[in-house]
Amino acid sequence: MESFGTRLHRAMAERGPLAVGIDPHAALLDRWGLPDDVTGLARFSETVVEALGDRVAVVKPQSAFYERFGSRGLAVLESTIRQLREAGALVLLDVKRGDIGSTVSAYAAAYLDPSSPLYVDAITASPYLGVGSLAPMFDTAAAHGGGVFVLALTSNPEGPAVQHARGADGRTVAQTVIDEISQLNAGAEPLGSFGLVVGATIGDTGHDLSRVRGPLLAPGLGAQGASAADLRTVFGRDLSTVLPSYSREVLGHGPDRAALRAAADRALADCRAVLGTTVE
Ligand SMILES: O=c1ccn([C@@H]2O[C@H](COP(=O)(O)O)[C@@H](O)[C@H]2O)c(=O)[nH]1
């Protein structure tokens, strides 16, 4: 079985280093002429799959927008995940789960076990109950070729108050997360399966990402104010593992499928101009 890191490395090489989020905000549903209900949610999601599922490396549905419609929203999420996988995209569910280890086991079963209806290629996870508490996710992901992206330096302005705080050893909370994920990826080739979330908005924070060997998901581009050029400031010279992520910036061009495709192509071209054309 191929690891998530290997599959992601190939997808980024073949389709380009880009993730596009499916974030069906009420305002976007309205702008697309869709009702703010489960039928609008389904139509929105199908349109994104049809436009981008066969050309973008990673599609990142945001679970919150499906959860707000309860069980019927989750049914749409299940169907969207299935359609994306059929179209050949890797599915990264942005669900930011974290809890005590025994509960994390259930989250791992929900998202990273192939027998689950919500099974995806990778999920986002919150490390604020301790990175070690996420071990059941790491174990389940490793057993089934899945991936986990752990929050390290998030794109929102409130993040640094927590993430830049220093512990007794002088390291920031974020650097501790970065170092623990780096250990999980030690020796991985061509890319580890355990990634980090590092916002494109954060500027040069001085954190050392040189040993991660896993994918660095960079949200915050477009609607949150960061541009592709900011990736160099945030990540420095080694950009080969950066996976830029856009949601509203691309989705705002729908529902026209050609316009969605053109927006994703522009985002990819902007990122390639900074990241280079190859994934090493
Ligand atoms: O640090 C983080 C972690 C996750 N996100 C998520 O990414 C998208 C961003 O959407 P945009 O429309 O491109 O702003 C959204 O789902 C967030 O929950 C993030 O923004 N920052």
Side-chain angles (χ1 to χ4, degrees):
M1 178 196 46
E2 277 189 317
S3 70
F4 174 72
T6 299
R7 295 190 293 130
L8 177 60
H9 184 267
R10 186 170 56 242
M12 288 169 71
E14 288 176 0
R15 295 187 171 196
L18 182 69
V20 175
I22 309 184
D23 293 51
H25 291 259
L28 277 174
L29 292 171
D30 186 50
R31 196 153 143 195
W32 285 32
L34 294 169
D36 185 16
D37 63 19
V38 80
T39 64
L41 181 76
R43 195 70 215 113
F44 187 101
S45 303
E46 276 165 23
T47 302
V48 178
V49 175
E50 285 163 16
L52 303 178
D54 63 353
R55 61 202 285 133
V56 172
V58 175
V59 179
K60 182 176 79 67
Q62 170 53 260
S63 183
F65 293 106
Y66 296 85
E67 290 173 38
R68 83 185 177 98
F69 294 106
S71 59
R72 295 179 68 210
L74 288 181
V76 174
L77 178 58
E78 285 175 17
S79 147
T80 303
I81 291 167
R82 202 170 42 247
Q83 291 167 30
L84 285 168
R85 293 171 73 92
E86 283 166 12
L90 293 176
V91 185
L92 165 57
L93 184 63
D94 198 344
V95 69
K96 297 188 186 66
R97 294 297 193 243
D99 209 311
I100 62 169
S102 52
T103 303
V104 166
S105 298
Y107 284 134
Y111 302 114
L112 296 167
D113 188 308
S115 66
S116 167
L118 285 171
Y119 169 61
V120 286
D121 296 289
I123 57 171
T124 54
S126 169
Y128 298 119
L129 278 80
V131 176
S133 68
L134 301 176
M137 283 182 192
F138 302 141
D139 293 345
T140 307
H144 299 293
V148 182
F149 288 77
V150 179
L151 302 178
L153 290 155
T154 58
S155 65
N156 57 318
E158 302 85 0
V162 174
Q163 295 151 14
H164 293 192
R166 290 185 189 272
D169 64 2
R171 286 182 302 164
T172 65
V173 169
Q175 191 64 54
T176 306
V177 172
I178 293 164
D179 293 346
E180 291 197 43
I181 296 304
S182 303
Q183 280 174 23
L184 289 178
N185 285 328
E189 285 291 344
L191 187 65
S193 296
F194 304 109
L196 292 167
V197 179
V198 177
T201 49
I202 65 170
D204 178 4
T205 63
H207 285 85
D208 179 6
L209 293 162
S210 63
R211 284 181 290 276
V212 178
R213 299 183 80 95
L216 301 170
L217 181 75
L221 293 153
Q224 291 177 54
S227 67
D230 292 316
L231 296 171
R232 194 171 289 291
T233 311
V234 174
F235 296 102
R237 291 180 63 80
D238 184 9
L239 295 158
S240 62
T241 58
V242 176
L243 178 61
S245 182
Y246 294 78
S247 298
R248 284 167 290 179
E249 174 78 8
V250 170
L251 300 171
H253 293 269
D256 183 77
R257 288 165 187 72
L260 282 167
R261 281 193 282 273
D265 288 352
R266 269 194 307 278
L268 179 58
D270 289 352
C271 292
R272 278 193 198 280
V274 175
L275 304 179
T277 50
T278 56
V279 176
E280 289 157 24

Short mmCIF file of all heavy atoms in Angstrom, two decimals, residues 11-41:
data_model
loop_
_atom_site.label_atom_id
_atom_site.label_comp_id
_atom_site.label_asym_id
_atom_site.label_seq_id
_atom_site.Cartn_x
_atom_site.Cartn_y
_atom_site.Cartn_z
N ALA A 11 0.63 13.35 -6.89
CA ALA A 11 -0.48 14.24 -7.31
C ALA A 11 0.03 15.66 -7.53
O ALA A 11 -0.37 16.34 -8.49
CB ALA A 11 -1.59 14.23 -6.26
N MET A 12 0.92 16.13 -6.66
CA MET A 12 1.46 17.49 -6.80
C MET A 12 2.34 17.59 -8.04
O MET A 12 2.38 18.64 -8.70
CB MET A 12 2.22 17.90 -5.54
CG MET A 12 1.31 18.18 -4.35
SD MET A 12 2.19 18.35 -2.77
CE MET A 12 3.03 19.91 -2.96
N ALA A 13 3.05 16.51 -8.36
CA ALA A 13 3.89 16.52 -9.56
C ALA A 13 3.02 16.50 -10.82
O ALA A 13 3.30 17.20 -11.80
CB ALA A 13 4.84 15.33 -9.54
N GLU A 14 1.94 15.70 -10.80
CA GLU A 14 1.11 15.54 -12.00
C GLU A 14 0.13 16.70 -12.19
O GLU A 14 -0.09 17.16 -13.30
CB GLU A 14 0.32 14.23 -11.90
CG GLU A 14 1.20 13.01 -12.10
CD GLU A 14 0.44 11.69 -11.90
OE1 GLU A 14 -0.78 11.72 -11.62
OE2 GLU A 14 1.09 10.66 -12.00
N ARG A 15 -0.48 17.15 -11.11
CA ARG A 15 -1.55 18.17 -11.23
C ARG A 15 -1.10 19.55 -10.77
O ARG A 15 -1.81 20.52 -11.01
CB ARG A 15 -2.77 17.73 -10.42
CG ARG A 15 -3.43 16.47 -10.97
CD ARG A 15 -4.74 16.18 -10.24
NE ARG A 15 -5.48 15.11 -10.88
CZ ARG A 15 -6.76 14.85 -10.67
NH1 ARG A 15 -7.45 15.59 -9.81
NH2 ARG A 15 -7.38 13.87 -11.29
N GLY A 16 0.03 19.60 -10.09
CA GLY A 16 0.52 20.89 -9.60
C GLY A 16 0.25 21.06 -8.11
O GLY A 16 -0.69 20.46 -7.58
N PRO A 17 1.07 21.88 -7.46
CA PRO A 17 0.92 22.07 -6.01
C PRO A 17 -0.21 23.02 -5.67
O PRO A 17 0.00 24.22 -5.50
CB PRO A 17 2.29 22.65 -5.61
CG PRO A 17 2.77 23.36 -6.83
CD PRO A 17 2.21 22.63 -8.02
N LEU A 18 -1.41 22.48 -5.58
CA LEU A 18 -2.56 23.33 -5.26
C LEU A 18 -3.65 22.51 -4.57
O LEU A 18 -3.98 21.41 -5.00
CB LEU A 18 -3.15 23.93 -6.56
CG LEU A 18 -4.34 24.88 -6.35
CD1 LEU A 18 -3.89 26.18 -5.68
CD2 LEU A 18 -5.03 25.19 -7.68
N ALA A 19 -4.18 23.10 -3.50
CA ALA A 19 -5.40 22.58 -2.87
C ALA A 19 -6.47 23.65 -3.03
O ALA A 19 -6.20 24.84 -2.89
CB ALA A 19 -5.17 22.30 -1.39
N VAL A 20 -7.67 23.19 -3.36
CA VAL A 20 -8.82 24.12 -3.39
C VAL A 20 -9.84 23.64 -2.38
O VAL A 20 -10.19 22.45 -2.34
CB VAL A 20 -9.44 24.21 -4.81
CG1 VAL A 20 -10.70 25.07 -4.77
CG2 VAL A 20 -8.44 24.79 -5.80
N GLY A 21 -10.29 24.56 -1.54
CA GLY A 21 -11.26 24.22 -0.52
C GLY A 21 -12.69 24.30 -1.05
O GLY A 21 -12.99 25.10 -1.94
N ILE A 22 -13.54 23.42 -0.49
CA ILE A 22 -14.99 23.59 -0.72
C ILE A 22 -15.56 24.14 0.57
O ILE A 22 -15.70 23.43 1.57
CB ILE A 22 -15.69 22.27 -1.09
CG1 ILE A 22 -14.98 21.55 -2.24
CG2 ILE A 22 -17.15 22.56 -1.47
CD1 ILE A 22 -15.71 20.28 -2.72
N ASP A 23 -15.84 25.43 0.55
CA ASP A 23 -16.36 26.13 1.73
C ASP A 23 -17.68 26.81 1.33
O ASP A 23 -17.69 27.97 0.92
CB ASP A 23 -15.38 27.21 2.19
CG ASP A 23 -14.06 26.66 2.73
OD1 ASP A 23 -13.43 25.83 2.04
OD2 ASP A 23 -13.68 27.07 3.84
N PRO A 24 -18.78 26.07 1.42
CA PRO A 24 -20.06 26.65 0.96
C PRO A 24 -20.65 27.62 1.99
O PRO A 24 -21.63 27.33 2.65
CB PRO A 24 -20.96 25.41 0.76
CG PRO A 24 -20.07 24.22 0.93
CD PRO A 24 -18.93 24.66 1.79
N HIS A 25 -20.02 28.81 2.08
CA HIS A 25 -20.54 29.88 2.94
C HIS A 25 -21.95 30.25 2.47
O HIS A 25 -22.23 30.22 1.26
CB HIS A 25 -19.68 31.13 2.79
CG HIS A 25 -18.30 31.02 3.35
ND1 HIS A 25 -17.94 31.53 4.57
CD2 HIS A 25 -17.18 30.45 2.85
CE1 HIS A 25 -16.67 31.30 4.79
NE2 HIS A 25 -16.17 30.64 3.77
N ALA A 26 -22.80 30.69 3.39
CA ALA A 26 -24.15 31.16 3.02
C ALA A 26 -24.05 32.26 1.96
O ALA A 26 -24.83 32.29 0.99
CB ALA A 26 -24.89 31.65 4.25
N ALA A 27 -23.07 33.17 2.12
CA ALA A 27 -22.94 34.28 1.16
C ALA A 27 -22.57 33.77 -0.24
O ALA A 27 -23.00 34.32 -1.25
CB ALA A 27 -21.88 35.25 1.66
N LEU A 28 -21.78 32.69 -0.29
CA LEU A 28 -21.40 32.13 -1.61
C LEU A 28 -22.59 31.42 -2.25
O LEU A 28 -22.81 31.52 -3.46
CB LEU A 28 -20.23 31.17 -1.47
CG LEU A 28 -18.82 31.77 -1.44
CD1 LEU A 28 -17.78 30.70 -1.16
CD2 LEU A 28 -18.51 32.48 -2.76
N LEU A 29 -23.36 30.69 -1.43
CA LEU A 29 -24.55 30.02 -1.97
C LEU A 29 -25.46 31.08 -2.60
O LEU A 29 -25.96 30.90 -3.72
CB LEU A 29 -25.30 29.26 -0.87
CG LEU A 29 -24.59 28.04 -0.28
CD1 LEU A 29 -25.34 27.52 0.95
CD2 LEU A 29 -24.47 26.92 -1.31
N ASP A 30 -25.63 32.18 -1.89
CA ASP A 30 -26.47 33.27 -2.39
C ASP A 30 -25.90 33.82 -3.70
O ASP A 30 -26.63 34.01 -4.68
CB ASP A 30 -26.55 34.37 -1.32
CG ASP A 30 -27.52 35.46 -1.71
OD1 ASP A 30 -28.65 35.12 -2.08
OD2 ASP A 30 -27.13 36.64 -1.65
N ARG A 31 -24.60 34.03 -3.71
CA ARG A 31 -23.96 34.60 -4.91
C ARG A 31 -24.08 33.66 -6.11
O ARG A 31 -24.12 34.09 -7.26
CB ARG A 31 -22.49 34.84 -4.58
CG ARG A 31 -21.78 35.75 -5.52
CD ARG A 31 -20.64 36.42 -4.78
NE ARG A 31 -19.49 36.57 -5.65
CZ ARG A 31 -18.29 36.86 -5.22
NH1 ARG A 31 -18.05 36.99 -3.94
NH2 ARG A 31 -17.31 37.00 -6.08
N TRP A 32 -24.10 32.36 -5.83
CA TRP A 32 -24.26 31.37 -6.90
C TRP A 32 -25.74 31.17 -7.29
O TRP A 32 -26.04 30.31 -8.13
CB TRP A 32 -23.69 30.03 -6.46
CG TRP A 32 -22.20 29.91 -6.43
CD1 TRP A 32 -21.30 30.89 -6.17
CD2 TRP A 32 -21.45 28.72 -6.68
NE1 TRP A 32 -20.02 30.40 -6.23
CE2 TRP A 32 -20.08 29.06 -6.54
CE3 TRP A 32 -21.77 27.40 -6.99
CZ2 TRP A 32 -19.05 28.13 -6.72
CZ3 TRP A 32 -20.76 26.47 -7.15
CH2 TRP A 32 -19.40 26.84 -7.02
N GLY A 33 -26.63 31.91 -6.63
CA GLY A 33 -28.05 31.75 -6.93
C GLY A 33 -28.65 30.48 -6.35
O GLY A 33 -29.65 29.97 -6.87
N LEU A 34 -28.04 29.99 -5.26
CA LEU A 34 -28.51 28.73 -4.66
C LEU A 34 -29.15 29.02 -3.31
O LEU A 34 -28.75 29.97 -2.61
CB LEU A 34 -27.32 27.78 -4.45
CG LEU A 34 -26.64 27.28 -5.72
CD1 LEU A 34 -25.32 26.56 -5.38
CD2 LEU A 34 -27.57 26.33 -6.48
N PRO A 35 -30.12 28.18 -2.91
CA PRO A 35 -30.72 28.38 -1.59
C PRO A 35 -29.76 27.97 -0.48
O PRO A 35 -28.89 27.11 -0.68
CB PRO A 35 -31.94 27.43 -1.62
CG PRO A 35 -31.60 26.39 -2.65
CD PRO A 35 -30.71 27.06 -3.67
N ASP A 36 -29.90 28.64 0.69
CA ASP A 36 -29.06 28.30 1.83
C ASP A 36 -29.68 27.11 2.57
O ASP A 36 -30.16 27.22 3.70
CB ASP A 36 -28.94 29.53 2.75
CG ASP A 36 -27.97 29.27 3.89
OD1 ASP A 36 -27.18 28.31 3.81
OD2 ASP A 36 -28.01 30.03 4.88
N ASP A 37 -29.70 25.98 1.87
CA ASP A 37 -30.23 24.75 2.47
C ASP A 37 -29.47 23.56 1.89
O ASP A 37 -28.50 23.74 1.13
CB ASP A 37 -31.75 24.62 2.26
CG ASP A 37 -32.13 24.51 0.78
OD1 ASP A 37 -31.26 24.19 -0.06
OD2 ASP A 37 -33.31 24.75 0.44
N VAL A 38 -29.90 22.37 2.23
CA VAL A 38 -29.12 21.19 1.86
C VAL A 38 -29.11 20.96 0.34
O VAL A 38 -28.12 20.43 -0.20
CB VAL A 38 -29.62 19.97 2.69
CG1 VAL A 38 -30.86 19.39 2.10
CG2 VAL A 38 -28.53 18.96 2.89
N THR A 39 -30.15 21.41 -0.35
CA THR A 39 -30.12 21.25 -1.82
C THR A 39 -29.09 22.20 -2.43
O THR A 39 -28.38 21.85 -3.37
CB THR A 39 -31.51 21.51 -2.47
OG1 THR A 39 -31.87 22.87 -2.25
CG2 THR A 39 -32.58 20.59 -1.91
N GLY A 40 -28.99 23.42 -1.86
CA GLY A 40 -27.97 24.36 -2.32
C GLY A 40 -26.57 23.82 -2.03
O GLY A 40 -25.65 23.92 -2.87
N LEU A 41 -26.42 23.25 -0.85
CA LEU A 41 -25.13 22.66 -0.45
C LEU A 41 -24.71 21.58 -1.44
O LEU A 41 -23.55 21.52 -1.89
CB LEU A 41 -25.29 22.05 0.95
CG LEU A 41 -24.06 21.41 1.57
CD1 LEU A 41 -23.10 22.49 2.08
CD2 LEU A 41 -24.48 20.51 2.75
#
